[in-house]
Amino acid sequence: MSADAPAPGSADPTAELRKRIDTTKAHPARVYDVFLGGKDNYPADREAASMALAANPRGYLTVRHNRDFMRRAVTLAAKAGTRQFLDVGAGLPTQQNVHQIAQAVAPDSRVVYVDNDPVVLVHAQALLTSGPQGRTDYIEADLRDPGKILEAARATLDFDRPVALVLAAVLHFIEDDEAYPIVRQLVEALPSGSHLVLSNVSSDLNPEQVGQVTKAFKERGFAMVRRSHAQVERFVTGNGLEMLDPGVVPVHRWRPEQVIDLPEAADPDPEFVAGLDELDRTRYQDINDVTDADVSVYGVVARKN
């Protein structure tokens, strides 16, 4: 998808994409956007987010810690010398996208984003704002077609040099019989020195609360494949990768740091926050106030030797 504006007289590509978006039904990327304090969502998405919050009142911490896990993992890969990143299931643009994180460490980093969602494609322009020394690109493709992803990514990435493959909160939309072969095919294409960054909703962390949340989402049209610690670990061990410390852990326990992830949470006005509804109030909460009972996603980073 080109970052260029359409030529005079030509059709606006985003207008065609918007026709594919059903705003009457909740969508995973937009529900995720709600919890990240974004604005690219609709009443149906807020309703689904509200129901998820009712089932698990501190569940917003899972979403925000998953995003911060990705930030820490990408930073680690960049500091280790990786200059190429393939983010599959990129989701809607948010405050710290992969290219912003990587290029803050190494301005010459190259990032390819992949998604097949028209909601995300409409906003892809915001993902193509690389610094002058680096480069970003966007591929419209489905994770279920890894061959297409790899072929298209080669226009930007050099697969003779290390690549960080980011699969954050995307594999839980794919059943096991497809998910494991997909990851295998993607990992096999990576050279030595590459990294895998992966997170997946859990079946054995806070299972009762997670079950209520996933049930609410399933009623709104999108099912999630919860995976156990062993099932997540299999994505690493089954591909002969070296698991980096601390291994497969809840995302808030993967090399944690004190962090303020949303600017509005830095110094909120208590009186103003008290006047908000419960969903909007979550944006002003400090994510450092977290316990193991609040997080239901596993994260892992591995290296290909």
Side-chain angles (χ1 to χ4, degrees):
M1 180 172 177
S2 172
D4 297 333
S10 66
D12 180 356
T14 63
E16 292 302 314
L17 286 169
R18 289 182 188 278
K19 291 178 183 178
R20 294 163 50 189
I21 300 172
D22 184 352
T23 62
T24 66
K25 295 180 180 179
H27 189 281
R30 299 196 306 254
V31 174
Y32 198 73
D33 183 66
V34 172
F35 285 119
L36 291 175
K39 298 178 180 178
D40 300 315
N41 51 76
Y42 299 92
D45 308 302
R46 288 182 58 84
E47 180 191 8
S50 294
M51 287 203 66
L53 200 64
N56 184 6
R58 288 169 64 82
Y60 65 91
L61 288 164
T62 288
V63 176
R64 286 168 60 186
H65 273 284
N66 179 74
R67 190 73 191 182
D68 199 59
F69 156 74
M70 187 273 290
R71 177 190 65 81
R72 299 192 305 274
V74 167
T75 299
L76 176 144
K79 287 183 174 179
T82 300
R83 297 294 178 263
Q84 303 185 107
F85 299 81
L86 179 59
D87 183 4
V88 185
L92 287 160
T94 186
Q95 276 138 349
Q96 282 195 307
N97 301 300
V98 170
H99 72 276
Q100 293 163 320
I101 299 164
Q103 290 179 358
V105 176
D108 59 337
S109 296
R110 294 187 168 207
V111 179
V112 173
Y113 294 103
V114 183
D115 213 298
N116 70 330
D117 187 335
V119 177
V120 179
L121 291 170
V122 165
H123 298 279
Q125 185 83 15
L127 292 173
L128 297 173
T129 54
S130 172
Q133 298 177 51
R135 181 176 171 185
T136 59
D137 200 1
Y138 195 99
I139 299 168
E140 181 178 5
D142 193 310
L143 178 54
R144 293 176 177 84
D145 191 353
K148 178 180 178 180
I149 290 171
L150 292 169
E151 181 181 2
R154 286 189 172 93
T156 302
L157 306 180
D158 177 1
F159 280 82
D160 290 327
R161 297 169 51 228
V163 176
L165 170 63
V166 181
L167 298 172
V170 64
L171 284 167
H172 50 225
F173 296 112
I174 300 180
E175 296 291 342
D176 286 352
D177 60 347
E178 289 186 280
Y180 290 107
I182 286 168
V183 174
R184 183 178 304 114
Q185 185 173 346
L186 290 171
V187 167
E188 284 178 350
L190 304 179
S192 296
S194 294
H195 288 81
L196 171 66
V197 177
L198 186 151
S199 63
N200 199 109
V201 68
S202 165
S203 62
D204 49 12
L205 295 172
N206 310 310
E208 184 175 344
Q209 291 176 321
V210 179
Q212 292 174 349
V213 171
T214 53
K215 180 182 178 183
F217 286 161
K218 187 173 183 179
E219 290 170 352
R220 278 155 180 76
F222 50 96
M224 300 176 78
V225 182
R226 294 180 287 163
R227 293 189 169 98
S228 67
H229 184 282
Q231 289 172 313
V232 174
E233 191 175 74
R234 180 181 160 192
F235 286 114
V236 175
T237 58
N239 289 299
L241 302 177
E242 174 194 359
M243 193 149 30
L244 303 187
D245 289 338
V248 176
V249 293
V251 284
H252 70 298
R253 289 196 171 276
W254 196 89
R255 305 193 183 193
E257 301 172 353
Q258 289 287 116
V259 65
I260 294 173
D261 63 324
L262 298 182
E264 53 265 49
D267 188 23
D269 178 350
E271 185 176 347
F272 171 73
V273 174
L276 299 173
D277 66 29
E278 188 174 3
L279 186 59
D280 287 333
R281 206 176 297 153
T282 64
R283 295 167 50 192
Y284 297 85
Q285 304 305 311
D286 179 2
I287 68 167
N288 297 295
D289 174 27
V290 62
T291 70
D292 290 348
D294 297 325
V295 174
S296 54
V297 167
Y298 281 124
V300 64
V301 179
R303 187 178 186 277
K304 185 172 182 178
N305 292 322

